[in-house]
């Protein structure tokens, strides 16, 4: 099958919208239907669940528990096709709790989603959800970098830590 960006992009965006709509409805069964049977789901805290049934079970507990009446808000940022039937989708989606009128900055999340074309249409086969916590990478001459190198030299002299033999040591 060939990628048809106009049609496939629309269908993938529709899947992302369905992912959010089913969450907002608190419908764990319909939420689970967005995934392949063997899908992987890595939550913002790093935990991993495998399989549609597990995602459905976890979200049923969440929708009836701590996330009752929450809504998922977000959007697709980009779609990149790896093959005609496989794409990586980057998006944002964050949970808005019922007692809030806007998302707190600390609740912003970004998803890396692998979608595949199935007989039932596009489905999520892997999702990794991470909190947005931007940090600045220190320059090599910045204080954190200099302190790290000093600690590395000290550890090597003392014979502690791992002994890396890479070119940049």
């Amino acid at each position: 099958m060939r990628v048809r960006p106009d049609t496939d992009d629309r269908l993938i965006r529709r899947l992302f919208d369905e992912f959010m709509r089913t969450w907002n409805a608190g419908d764990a069964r319909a939420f689970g239907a967005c995934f392949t049977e063997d899908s992987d789901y890595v939550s913002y805290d790093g935990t991993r669940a495998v399989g549609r049934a597990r995602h459905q079970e976890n979200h049923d507990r969440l929708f009836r528990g701590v996330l009752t009446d929450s809504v998922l808000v977000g959007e697709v940022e980009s779609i990149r096709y790896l093959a005609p039937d496989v794409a990586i989708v980057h998006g944002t989606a964050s949970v808005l709790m019922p007692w809030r009128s806007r998302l707190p900055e600390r609740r912003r999340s970004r998803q890396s989603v692998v979608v595949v074309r199935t007989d039932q249409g596009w489905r999520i086969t892997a999702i990794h959800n991470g909190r947005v916590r931007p940090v600045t990478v220190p320059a090599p001459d910045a204080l954190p970098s200099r302190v790290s190198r000093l600690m590395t030299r000290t550890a090597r002299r003392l014979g502690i830590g791992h002994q890396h033999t890479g070119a940049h040591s």
Side-chain angles (χ1 to χ4, degrees), residues 24-75:
N24 298 346
D27 187 342
R29 186 176 191 84
F31 182 82
C34 294
F35 294 85
T36 61
E37 287 291 335
D38 61 349
S39 53
D40 289 283
Y41 193 118
V42 177
S43 296
Y44 75 93
D45 64 353
T47 58
R48 179 177 173 223
V50 178
R52 175 189 292 162
R54 186 74 179 151
H55 311 327
Q56 185 174 320
E57 176 187 317
N58 287 346
H59 284 79
D60 179 59
R61 291 178 62 168
L62 291 168
F63 296 157
R64 291 184 303 113
V66 297
L67 296 179
T68 299
D69 292 334
S70 65
V71 294
L72 194 61
V73 294
E75 62 188 4

Side-chain angles (χ1 to χ4, degrees), residues 149-162:
R149 287 193 305 275
L150 174 62
M151 291 174 67
T152 299
R153 287 191 302 274
T154 302
R156 296 242 168 82
R157 278 189 214 115
L158 295 173
I160 60 174
H162 71 86

